Amino acid sequence: MDIKNIDETSFTVVDVETTGLSARNERIIEIALVRVENLKIVDKFSTLINPQRPIPSFISMFTGITNSDVKDAPLFHQIFPVILEKTENSVLCGHNLQFDLSFLRNEVQLLGDDFNPIHTLCTLKLARKLFPHLKSRSLGPLAYHLNIKAKNSHRALGDAETTAKVLIKLIKHLKENENIETLEQLLAYQSGMKTFQSLKIKKELQNDFYSLPNAPGIYYFLNSRNEIIYIGKAKSLRERVKSYFSSNADSRVRKIIRQAKRLHHLITNSELTALLAEAESIKVQNPEHNKMLKGYGNKYFIKVLKTKSAPHLDITNKFDFDGCDYFGLYHSKRDAQKIVEFINKTFAIRECDDREFLKSRPCFLFDIQRCTAPCIGLESNLTKHNEELEEVYRFLNGENQHAMNRLLNKMKFFSEQQMYEKAAEIKHLIDFLMEEIHKSSLLSEPINKAKVLIEIISPIGNDYLVLFDGKVFIKGYLYDNKNKFEEILDDFYSNTIQTEILPSEEDLEKLKIVLQWLIKNRNRVKVFYLKDYRNRQELFNKLSNSDFSEEKIIQIKSDPIYDFNI
């Protein structure tokens, strides 16, 4: 960061209007940007945006923006270049900025990109520190308190202009009353972070911090003997390390800063490769202050017990090559249980344990058509069970339309028979299918059999990794000196795979880290099944085609679309 005088700093105030309050589920319908230079408003920009979904009536009443207003408005990806241009070389500002920024980040992530301004400033945070006794510090009351006339409230440009005027007055107040003259001091005041001068930070460490990029990667704190004392990872190196200099940092962090003389970093293409590099670097270096390495062992799989004559489902946090198939990853046992409960209520497969199964007589689940009774030993019953199990596989692989059709037919039947409680139960299952199941189905193969190349879209550079029978191979990985990524692809297409080498515990831990991240960040992920390509060159041609920015926009991975016309 340059030690820049506030009067020489450019600020861009942003305000968005949206279809709702959840950045993950809603979209932007209007955006405004107001540029402030030399503590004066110098430029304004605003536009409506087509959210590609209906605007709720209460939002139209609140903002005055209707569906007809946005019908012919540009899509977000069409105005994103303008946003980048307008915010370039400036501090991004807003009132309750986290709200606006969360929507912007979500929109940009849907394009397979990232939006991480180098510096951000929130007038709400400043107001809370400056006016702690003010009853309300929302934009309207705050503007009134500062003798600013708010115009066109609840429209993006009106609110952005008001916020810009508030910003100017707050900065002037801070200059006069808090002796804040530089951008560093202003940002430190906002976050409660102490300046380097007050913290007595070593000059080398200050310079290392200023060199940090706003990019994913891993960082190393080193002591005066050039020993690594702490390793961390970050989605944004600058933002993460900045928190170490906060006035409310815990005692462990303060101890690291006292001992540290230098700060080194390594940029990675994505947060995932930063996660993996951090975990492996800690194991290799064993730094003094990395005592607690985050564990991933409490994640769960759904296991299909294929070793049984009539396979059924189980939940496990273990992963093995035991002849069974594994699906997941699920963040908690309850998440996995909900999927299994859904499967048992939707498909007629065995639910009983071995003791009950060996009694060789149908149970009440057969009477209510929730099981085909493979226990009685008849070939026809076992065949029906296996057919149901095939449907379960399709469902776990993400092919959910058949399950939807089955449920809709059941609900229709119960409604026609005036069995409304039963129909309501089916409706709950349909709601679950719509809301939950897409969160975990990433691959159309069991994890233990998956042979896929995964492309992770990142603005710095895409990451590529191969999942192969429980092992993970990453292109250009920090700890891959033998170029195993290229090797596994060569072996696959030349049919020289050594199938007897099973994944180690380290491989399985790495697999869990990868699966957890991929499921959370599915909008940035493209999956290529190795079997779909005749050779490596054909696969690489597909990858090179996917690097064009236009294709990134149109190849967004979306949630399943269901046909309700049964």
Side-chain angles (χ1 to χ4, degrees):
M1 182 197 299
D2 295 329
I3 308 300
K4 186 184 290 187
N5 191 287
I6 293 179
D7 294 337
E8 300 170 352
T9 302
S10 297
F11 302 90
T12 301
V13 176
V14 63
D15 189 87
V16 300
E17 303 299 332
T18 65
T19 58
L21 298 178
S22 169
R24 178 171 293 185
N25 301 317
E26 306 295 343
R27 305 295 295 274
I28 295 175
I29 57 176
E30 187 179 38
I31 187 170
L33 300 166
V34 175
R35 187 85 167 194
V36 174
E37 294 180 358
N38 298 315
L39 298 183
K40 294 179 181 178
I41 295 175
V42 297
D43 186 49
K44 304 173 188 177
F45 167 81
S46 69
T47 181
L48 293 168
I49 297 174
N50 186 336
Q52 298 181 286
R53 66 177 60 187
I55 299 174
S57 58
F58 75 93
I59 294 292
S60 293
M61 291 175 62
F62 189 66
T63 64
I65 301 172
T66 65
N67 289 309
S68 59
D69 291 332
V70 300
K71 181 180 178 183
D72 298 319
L75 302 178
F76 183 83
H77 75 81
Q78 294 172 308
I79 59 102
F80 182 48
V82 179
I83 294 172
L84 291 177
E85 178 187 344
K86 295 286 185 182
T87 58
E88 188 177 14
N89 299 322
S90 68
V91 178
L92 190 70
C93 309
H95 196 75
N96 191 16
L97 178 63
Q98 187 55 41
F99 176 85
D100 305 273
L101 194 52
S102 65
F103 273 90
L104 281 170
R105 282 174 172 156
N106 187 65
E107 293 280 2
V108 176
Q109 284 177 7
L110 290 173
L111 305 181
D113 211 332
D114 273 320
F115 185 70
N116 291 307
I118 296 176
H119 302 304
T120 59
L121 189 66
C122 178
T123 52
L124 178 59
K125 288 183 179 180
L126 293 178
R128 285 172 178 162
K129 293 179 178 296
L130 284 170
F131 312 118
H133 303 300
L134 198 61
K135 187 174 181 180
S136 173
R137 291 172 291 274
S138 59
L139 186 58
L142 179 60
Y144 179 81
H145 177 75
L146 296 172
N147 295 316
I148 296 170
K149 188 175 181 179
K151 298 179 181 178
N152 300 320
S153 297
H154 308 306
R155 288 299 298 264
L157 185 57
D159 286 347
E161 282 191 82
T162 301
T163 303
K165 293 173 183 177
V166 167
L167 173 68
I168 292 167
K169 284 212 169 187
L170 294 182
I171 290 176
K172 288 179 177 179
H173 180 95
L174 287 167
K175 289 180 66 177
E176 293 171 7
N177 298 281
E178 302 289 341
N179 297 318
I180 289 179
E181 295 292 340
T182 68
L183 178 58
E184 183 203 2
Q185 291 172 334
L186 179 61
L187 296 176
Y189 181 87
Q190 169 190 242
S191 63
M193 170 182 161
K194 296 182 180 180
T195 62
F196 286 130
Q197 289 82 359
S198 63
L199 284 170
K200 299 180 180 178
I201 300 298
K202 300 175 184 70
K203 187 65 177 178
E204 298 96 326
L205 191 58
Q206 291 183 42
N207 293 335
D208 290 340
F209 171 76
Y210 290 142
S211 71
L212 287 174
N214 192 19
I218 54 177
Y219 55 92
Y220 310 79
F221 283 105
L222 296 90
N223 62 18
S224 56
R225 296 187 297 275
N226 211 34
E227 298 167 339
I228 295 174
I229 59 173
Y230 184 79
I231 298 173
K233 63 87 187 170
K235 189 175 182 179
S236 166
L237 287 163
R238 178 181 287 271
E239 289 301 309
R240 178 68 186 94
V241 175
K242 185 169 72 174
S243 67
Y244 283 74
F245 305 107
S246 170
S247 59
N248 58 3
D250 63 35
S251 58
R252 181 181 67 96
V253 170
R254 291 198 298 270
K255 187 175 182 180
I256 292 172
I257 294 301
R258 282 198 303 271
Q259 292 182 6
K261 183 179 180 181
R262 299 302 303 266
L263 171 64
H264 294 174
H265 70 272
L266 178 69
I267 297 173
T268 59
N269 286 341
S270 70
E271 183 189 19
L272 174 58
T273 40
L275 263 170
L276 293 168
E278 177 203 33
E280 204 148 352
S281 295
I282 290 171
K283 290 177 182 177
V284 171
Q285 301 291 341
N286 192 27
E288 175 186 348
H289 294 290
N290 285 104
K291 301 302 181 186
M292 297 277 297
L293 183 60
K294 182 177 180 181
Y296 293 83
N298 60 339
K299 309 304 176 188
Y300 291 84
F301 298 93
I302 291 177
K303 179 179 181 179
V304 182
L305 295 156
K306 291 193 68 178
T307 54
K308 309 290 184 181
S309 58
H312 60 109
L313 306 183
D314 192 15
I315 297 169
T316 179
N317 63 354
K318 304 294 183 184
F319 182 93
D320 201 356
F321 284 77
D322 51 6
C324 299
D325 286 336
Y326 293 79
F327 295 87
L329 191 81
Y330 300 92
H331 295 299
S332 70
K333 189 172 185 178
R334 181 57 191 148
D335 286 344
Q337 285 172 335
K338 287 194 291 186
I339 302 294
V340 171
E341 288 169 9
F342 175 88
I343 290 171
N344 288 336
K345 291 177 180 177
T346 306
F347 303 97
I349 64 167
R350 169 189 169 189
E351 299 180 41
C352 59
D353 58 24
D354 288 344
R355 181 178 178 182
E356 191 67 29
F357 184 81
L358 292 173
K359 292 180 181 179
S360 301
R361 62 171 182 263
C363 64
F364 79 99
L365 291 176
F366 176 72
D367 297 331
I368 62 173
Q369 298 182 339
R370 271 195 35 189
C371 183
T372 61
C375 56
I376 62 178
L378 294 178
E379 188 66 31
S380 59
N381 294 58
L382 193 57
T383 299
K384 289 179 182 178
H385 178 273
N386 290 336
E387 289 171 354
E388 288 291 296
L389 190 63
E390 287 180 13
E391 294 300 329
V392 171
Y393 268 75
R394 289 175 59 186
F395 170 75
L396 288 171
N397 288 333
E399 300 176 34
N400 303 331
Q401 183 63 52
H402 181 75
M404 179 65 76
N405 294 349
R406 182 180 290 204
L407 292 171
L408 288 169
N409 284 328
K410 282 185 179 182
M411 187 171 68
K412 183 178 179 181
F413 171 78
F414 289 135
S415 296
E416 289 173 350
Q417 299 298 313
Q418 298 184 349
M419 300 168 68
Y420 298 119
E421 288 186 8
K422 288 284 188 183
E425 290 177 10
I426 301 300
K427 175 64 165 58
H428 286 313
L429 293 176
I430 291 173
D431 291 342
F432 176 83
L433 180 60
M434 292 291 292
E435 296 172 7
E436 298 290 333
I437 193 61
H438 68 277
K439 296 178 182 177
S440 59
S441 56
L442 182 70
L443 303 175
S444 60
E445 296 176 347
I447 300 299
N448 52 297
K449 295 179 179 176
K451 297 177 178 64
V452 299
L453 187 147
I454 293 175
E455 181 179 25
I456 299 169
I457 308 300
S458 174
I460 294 176
N462 293 353
D463 267 326
Y464 299 93
L465 56 105
V466 170
L467 299 188
F468 198 101
D469 292 351
K471 290 190 174 186
V472 180
F473 304 91
I474 305 165
K475 181 176 175 63
Y477 184 50
L478 176 65
Y479 290 100
D480 181 9
N481 297 324
K482 297 181 180 179
N483 203 4
K484 294 179 181 177
F485 174 88
E486 302 282 350
E487 185 180 302
I488 192 67
L489 291 175
D490 285 339
D491 288 349
F492 176 80
Y493 287 112
S494 61
N495 295 313
T496 56
I497 294 291
Q498 298 182 18
T499 55
E500 70 275 7
I501 302 177
L502 296 177
S504 64
E505 284 297 320
E506 188 174 323
D507 289 324
L508 299 182
E509 192 74 5
K510 187 185 294 186
L511 179 66
K512 288 185 177 183
I513 295 174
V514 168
L515 291 174
Q516 182 176 354
W517 190 93
L518 292 176
I519 289 167
K520 281 185 176 180
N521 297 273
R522 58 200 311 118
N523 286 337
R524 307 179 183 199
V525 173
K526 295 179 185 178
V527 179
F528 302 87
Y529 293 89
L530 301 188
K531 64 184 179 183
D532 293 341
Y533 303 92
R534 290 171 295 179
N535 52 56
R536 196 177 76 157
Q537 190 57 49
E538 186 176 307
L539 171 63
F540 283 2
N541 288 342
K542 180 66 175 177
L543 292 175
S544 64
N545 287 341
S546 70
D547 279 338
F548 293 103
S549 59
E550 287 185 0
E551 188 151 335
K552 286 184 185 180
I553 291 172
I554 62 173
Q555 289 195 2
I556 297 167
K557 184 174 178 63
S558 58
D559 295 342
I561 298 175
Y562 297 102
D563 179 8
F564 290 90
N565 300 314
I566 302 301

